[in-house]
Amino acid sequence: TEVQPIEPMFINYDEALSQFDIKGLNVLYVQNKLNDLVGLNYEFNMGTRNDPALSLAARYLQYLGTPTRSAEEIAQEMYQLACSFQIYASNIYTNIYISGLAENMPKAMNIVEDLIYNAVPDENILENLKADLLKERADAKLNQGSCFSALQNYIFLGADYVKMTTLTNEQIKSLTSEQLLGKIRDLMSCTHEVSYYGPATADEVTVLITENHKIADNLKPLEKTLLTSAPTPSSKVYLAQYDAKQIYYLQYSNKEEKLDIASDPYIRLYNEYFGGGMNAIVFQEMREARGLAYSAWARLIEPEHANDYYSYFAFIATQNDKMKTAIQAFDEIINDMPESEAAFNIAKEAMMTGIRTQRITGRNILSSYRSTREMGLTEPRSKKIYEVLPSLTLEDVKATQDKWVEGRTYHYGILGDIKDLDTKYLRTLGPVQTLTLEEIFGY
């Protein structure tokens, strides 16, 4: 039975959300017309990239009470209000998120802000948190996935980034309650953006925030510190020791190519065709046809903000003794891409279907708008992609591979048991640097 394709719906941000100012704070507002639930977020342009202790500070605060409420009483009261809160720090941002029933948001906001400003230190809790964190760090070095993530960060962002964003174990041990609690408290006097998703009208949200969110009279500005990936001007190999019979291998390239929106349809289709999933060329060639990898993928990674760069990233998990063959085979298909009309048609149809069926609704409108804004754009990128996609052919994918991928210079990263690896072969790829786990983790 033939069915009519679902028509795509592209969000119009001017209609889907509104913005207004409250005492110097920008508020992003989307009305929830489905139920009485609210999501309220304060986002600060300050993260672990600026202060690596923020993550521990956020964890610590959520275990504490105030002079008028114990931690248990706060948890019980929030539960009775059908509300909850989280404080968490990422690389770039720190977020304070409060959610729950709309009618109880004023009380929930007051409880959370009372905790932020008036938390009572508990040295036993802090020492336990430090011990937990040190144990988590030690355990991470025993986990192959965690070690590989650390190696990726080291290669993608550089040794200076690792040092800048990681506390040593001694630094963690020396942190005091006042230092940690002061970090979150001080944020409240800085500029931040408020996002609201809930049933209230814009006027009601203005009243809610004005009456229940303590906004400093003279907010301190916070400059956003965006991350950019490290360039790869020449080939290099990074080795990190991990005792296993399987290696994790990556190759990464950054030619410092800036955002090119016009290339979106071509790059997205190349990624879907070449490295997108189980039907893609990489998986079919490396695992199914040649049996050289447990898992494998590759793609051209798009910039995360307007001033970031494109980078190419390829990954293989394979046996130690298959490393050389797997790397050579991967290099072969990356630089001389196999062409399959059947695989191309599957990739193209998958992209068309994905765009047709995508719906950005609810709270997702806010995150979608913010990511679009980071690119300096005013409408979703998928709209332009969908307009161009039907006309693209396998020749366009091949041309994209020729323009963006073929002949790139790579940094290679290998996590595995070095004594089992062909290091003589690795030196043909570029100078080899052996890294310790302390170097890639930063502790």
Side-chain angles (χ1 to χ4, degrees):
T1 303
E2 289 190 13
V3 295
Q4 288 295 109
I6 295 172
E7 289 301 310
M9 291 179 63
F10 301 107
I11 189 168
N12 183 326
Y13 293 116
D14 291 334
E15 297 175 355
L17 61 80
S18 58
Q19 302 184 56
F20 46 89
D21 181 274
I22 298 178
K23 295 181 67 175
L25 298 182
N26 187 52
V27 179
L28 300 179
Y29 164 79
V30 174
Q31 188 169 34
N32 177 5
K33 298 179 180 179
L34 298 176
N35 52 47
D36 291 329
L37 297 179
V38 172
L40 178 68
N41 188 62
Y42 310 150
E43 184 170 83
F44 301 83
N45 291 334
M46 171 79 77
T48 54
R49 168 70 173 76
N50 311 93
D51 184 349
L54 274 172
S55 180
L56 180 59
R59 287 176 65 175
Y60 180 41
L61 182 64
Q62 293 172 93
Y63 284 96
L64 302 179
T66 68
T68 57
R69 295 181 181 93
S70 66
E72 292 77 11
E73 287 170 335
I74 289 174
Q76 186 177 30
E77 193 168 346
M78 291 292 281
Y79 180 80
Q80 290 170 345
L81 293 172
C83 293
S84 62
F85 75 97
Q86 287 179 290
I87 304 173
Y88 53 95
S90 66
N91 284 334
I92 302 171
Y93 304 108
T94 297
N95 291 271
I96 299 170
Y97 181 69
I98 308 170
S99 60
L101 286 177
E103 63 187 86
N104 294 329
M105 284 305 289
K107 292 180 181 178
M109 290 170 68
N110 283 308
I111 290 172
V112 173
E113 298 207 13
D114 179 40
L115 175 62
I116 290 171
Y117 285 107
N118 301 304
V120 175
D122 188 313
E123 298 307 323
N124 286 332
I125 288 176
L126 178 56
E127 289 308 308
N128 286 334
L129 271 178
K130 289 179 180 180
D132 288 346
L133 181 55
L134 295 175
K135 176 69 163 57
E136 289 168 14
R137 288 173 150 223
D139 290 345
K141 291 182 177 180
L142 303 176
N143 180 277
Q144 193 168 13
S146 297
C147 291
F148 189 67
S149 293
L151 179 61
Q152 276 183 234
N153 273 338
Y154 187 96
I155 295 173
F156 289 9
L157 297 170
D160 289 342
Y161 169 82
V162 174
K163 292 175 184 175
M164 190 182 304
T165 58
T166 309
L167 296 172
T168 66
N169 288 345
E170 291 306 314
Q171 286 174 318
I172 289 174
K173 292 175 184 177
S174 67
L175 285 168
T176 66
S177 288
E178 187 51 42
Q179 286 174 323
L180 293 172
L181 297 180
K183 293 180 185 299
I184 306 297
R185 193 167 55 238
D186 291 346
L187 276 181
M188 298 296 280
S189 63
C190 299
T191 55
H192 52 283
E193 186 168 68
V194 178
S195 299
Y196 175 92
Y197 173 70
T201 65
D203 289 340
E204 290 168 339
V205 171
T206 299
V207 172
L208 174 72
I209 294 172
T210 302
E211 292 184 353
N212 300 285
H213 180 34
K214 297 181 179 67
I215 303 173
D217 292 331
N218 296 301
L219 291 165
K220 301 172 190 172
L222 284 178
E223 289 295 326
K224 188 183 298 182
T225 307
L226 296 172
L227 302 177
T228 54
S229 48
T232 56
S234 59
S235 298
K236 190 169 183 178
V237 180
Y238 295 92
L239 279 179
Q241 171 64 31
Y242 187 85
D243 188 7
K245 297 301 181 184
Q246 174 180 286
I247 66 161
Y248 283 178
Y249 162 88
L250 70 88
Q251 58 188 79
Y252 156 78
S253 175
N254 174 4
K255 293 162 55 177
E256 298 187 287
E257 300 151 311
K258 286 291 187 73
L259 182 66
D260 179 7
I261 296 299
S263 294
D264 273 1
Y266 305 90
I267 290 172
R268 297 278 179 96
L269 185 54
Y270 165 80
N271 282 337
E272 186 71 33
Y273 170 76
F274 187 69
M278 295 180 70
N279 284 311
I281 295 298
V282 166
F283 191 87
Q284 289 296 317
E285 284 286 324
M286 296 299 295
R287 174 169 167 153
E288 300 301 296
R290 309 191 192 199
L292 291 174
Y294 300 108
S295 61
W297 61 273
R299 66 190 304 107
L300 192 65
I301 299 175
E302 297 172 1
E304 294 189 356
H305 54 84
N307 294 316
D308 196 9
Y309 307 116
Y310 288 92
S311 59
Y312 196 84
F313 180 48
F315 166 78
I316 309 170
T318 189
Q319 292 167 223
N320 294 356
D321 58 355
K322 291 184 177 179
M323 179 192 72
K324 178 180 177 180
T325 308
I327 293 173
Q328 290 173 331
F330 217 165
D331 186 64
E332 176 188 326
I333 65 171
I334 286 172
N335 286 295
D336 187 14
M337 183 182 70
E339 298 179 35
S340 165
E341 198 69 41
F344 169 78
N345 290 332
I346 291 172
K348 184 174 177 179
E349 183 57 34
M351 275 190 67
M352 294 288 289
T353 301
I355 295 174
R356 285 195 190 107
T357 57
Q358 183 186 47
R359 298 294 183 267
I360 299 173
T361 60
R363 283 177 50 199
N364 293 331
I365 295 172
L366 296 165
S367 57
S368 174
Y369 170 75
R370 284 195 296 266
S371 62
T372 301
R373 183 178 62 184
E374 287 291 351
M375 296 295 176
L377 305 175
T378 57
E379 64 178 16
R381 295 164 76 175
S382 57
K383 185 176 181 180
K384 294 294 184 186
I385 293 171
Y386 189 77
E387 291 170 359
V388 176
L389 192 56
S391 65
L392 299 188
T393 66
L394 183 54
E395 285 302 311
D396 292 306
V397 173
K398 178 61 178 162
T400 302
Q401 189 263 350
D402 291 342
K403 176 184 176 181
W404 289 90
V405 179
E406 188 175 355
R408 297 180 76 98
T409 299
Y410 290 97
H411 283 183
Y412 303 87
I414 300 171
L415 179 76
D417 195 344
I418 295 174
K419 70 178 185 300
D420 289 344
L421 304 181
D422 186 347
T423 52
K424 183 178 179 181
Y425 164 70
L426 292 176
R427 284 193 287 273
T428 67
L429 302 177
V432 176
Q433 179 179 352
T434 301
L435 299 168
T436 65
L437 293 184
E438 287 71 24
E439 285 175 305
I440 63 175
F441 277 98
Y443 59 85

